[in-house]
Amino acid sequence: MNRPLRSLLFFGLLAASLPVFAQEGVLENTPPQGVTPEEIITHFAAKEKLFKEARDHYTYRQDIKVQTRDGDTVTGEYHEVFDVLYDDKGHRIENVVFAPQSTLEQGNLSLDEGDVQDFRNRLPFVLTTDEIPEYNILYVGQQQEDQLHCYVFDIAPKQIVGKKRYFQGRIWVDDHDFQIVKTYGQAVPEIRDAKKKGKTEHLYPKFTTWREQIDNQYWFPTYTRADDTLTFNTGDIHIREIVKYEDYKRFGSSVKILYQGKELPKSDQKPDQPTPDQQKPDQQKPQPNPNTPQK
């Protein structure tokens, strides 16, 4: 996001600033048992690559709402709803179903190309085997997320290459499926106007993305929330961002479920299992705090 003429990207990942929800347990700085952090990384990266490819065989609806706020008053808003579809050649298509005129500029903010990339790629962040070499990954402990016991890692890009965008923050990996079930952090890089010469600067809020198990197999992103104050040279702007990913539906019949180079037996794929809403409570992913405002 940028503010006309002046804006500032603020980024801090101190553990004390991480959001706390009622479903979270205490972060315990204890080593994993029976597996090393390096082995956990190898496991979840392989699963991430598999499920990233699988998600390209699902249609879904994405609902994006960005607001600038002054206390409880909405001063500007961007809202877009689109369906992600695929043509007969497998090419992604976005069919916009709702997109009123943005009023974000009334709140002294505007979206930039980085925001467009983040909505598609950074908020529903995945970390595959191919991308692991680009990041420093630090094991920080174990934590309970509702019924899920998770390994927790902090990650940051080793270097910024060209105009490529990266994720910096924290991930939670389920200790049973070795899947990322939650992320917290921010898209980088930043552009600052440290010398206050009127250079256009860019800022992106810290966000949390929750995932939910789809078709009893895939941990897909379903909900992203950001509620942050962006510190500009000319003042602060409070921003709230809600992104929902809904109505996942698999299309076609060309999806092969591979793990460690081998196709899983159909008996293990369980394509006709109940949806997450029909599963028992202990099979479901932790949902956002019901007391958290949602837009």
Side-chain angles (χ1 to χ4, degrees), residues 7-25:
S7 60
L8 175 66
L9 175 61
F10 173 77
F11 182 65
L13 287 170
L14 297 177
S17 69
L18 290 169
V20 178
F21 297 91
Q23 298 91 343
E24 275 192 341

Side-chain angles (χ1 to χ4, degrees), residues 47 148-151 173-179 213 219:
K47 289 288 189 73
L148 300 178
H149 186 260
C150 298
Y151 301 118
V173 179
D174 172 31
D175 71 349
H176 181 266
D177 292 333
F178 292 105
Q179 270 290 283
Q213 196 173 44
W219 287 89

Side-chain angles (χ1 to χ4, degrees), residues 2 27-28 97 102 106 116 118-119 126 139 150 192 261 274 289:
N2 64 73
L27 177 62
E28 300 176 354
V97 296
S102 173
Q106 296 178 15
V116 175
D118 292 345
F119 292 147
V126 295
Y139 174 79
C150 298
R192 297 176 179 269
N289 189 333

Side-chain angles (χ1 to χ4, degrees), residues 194-293:
K195 297 182 180 180
K196 299 183 179 181
K197 292 184 177 181
K199 178 182 177 181
T200 299
E201 300 172 301
H202 299 263
L203 152 139
Y204 307 95
K206 297 179 289 295
F207 63 87
T208 304
T209 295
W210 291 265
R211 297 192 191 185
E212 184 176 342
Q213 196 173 44
I214 303 299
D215 283 348
N216 208 29
Q217 303 175 74
Y218 312 116
W219 287 89
F220 288 162
T222 56
Y223 187 89
T224 296
R225 186 178 191 273
D227 197 331
D228 201 1
T229 297
L230 311 180
T231 303
F232 295 85
N233 286 337
T234 54
D236 295 345
I237 294 181
H238 179 200
I239 183 172
R240 180 172 295 172
E241 185 174 300
I242 300 291
V243 182
K244 301 176 183 178
Y245 316 82
E246 303 171 315
D247 200 23
Y248 281 104
K249 293 181 180 178
R250 189 168 60 190
F251 78 95
S253 58
S254 59
V255 181
K256 293 183 178 180
I257 312 303
L258 303 176
Y259 182 54
Q260 294 183 342
K262 297 181 180 180
E263 184 174 0
L264 293 180
K266 293 187 180 297
S267 60
D268 291 338
Q269 294 180 19
K270 304 176 183 178
D272 297 320
Q273 291 294 312
T275 64
D277 291 339
Q278 298 170 318
Q279 295 173 21
K280 297 178 181 179
D282 62 353
Q283 294 176 306
Q284 298 186 33
K285 172 207 169 288
Q287 295 299 311
N289 189 333
N291 296 322
T292 298

Side-chain angles (χ1 to χ4, degrees), residues 130-179:
D130 298 332
E131 288 135 1
I132 287 293
E134 300 176 353
Y135 286 89
N136 291 315
I137 305 175
L138 175 66
Y139 174 79
V140 294
Q142 303 180 47
Q143 192 168 23
Q144 195 76 16
E145 292 287 327
D146 264 3
Q147 290 81 24
L148 300 178
H149 186 260
C150 298
Y151 301 118
V152 185
F153 293 85
D154 283 345
I155 72 171
K158 293 179 178 178
Q159 61 178 336
I160 304 298
V161 179
K163 296 182 178 181
K164 185 172 180 178
R165 295 184 60 71
Y166 300 83
F167 172 82
Q168 182 166 334
R170 179 164 289 186
I171 61 174
W172 285 257
V173 179
D174 172 31
D175 71 349
H176 181 266
D177 292 333
F178 292 105
Q179 270 290 283

